[in-house]
Amino acid sequence: MNSLPDFFAMDGHGAYVWSAYAITFVVLALNVLQPWLARQRLVSLHARRRRREEV
């Protein structure tokens, strides 16, 4: 591998390798984002309920 394009091509296997990395990254990002977004929704829901009960 003498050049950057050769590195990314990976002797013809680059499409498979880089798509596998991309899919892995997306799955890991979803594993982080989904619980965080669910927590945000839950906190928002409880805050609305608390405000409603105080009135």
Side-chain angles (χ1 to χ4, degrees):
M1 292 188 197
N2 296 328
S3 67
L4 196 55
D6 287 340
F7 173 74
F8 287 117
M10 294 192 175
D11 293 330
H13 301 288
Y16 169 75
V17 171
W18 295 114
S19 64
Y21 275 119
I23 290 169
T24 301
F25 176 75
V26 167
V27 169
L28 290 174
L30 287 173
N31 281 335
V32 170
L33 287 175
Q34 283 182 336
W36 183 75
L37 291 173
R39 182 184 182 279
Q40 296 294 82
R41 284 191 301 267
L42 188 61
V43 167
S44 168
L45 175 67
H46 285 297
R48 279 184 282 165
R49 284 184 181 172
R50 192 173 27 229
R51 282 192 303 265
R52 214 176 329 143
E53 290 173 357
E54 287 176 355
V55 174

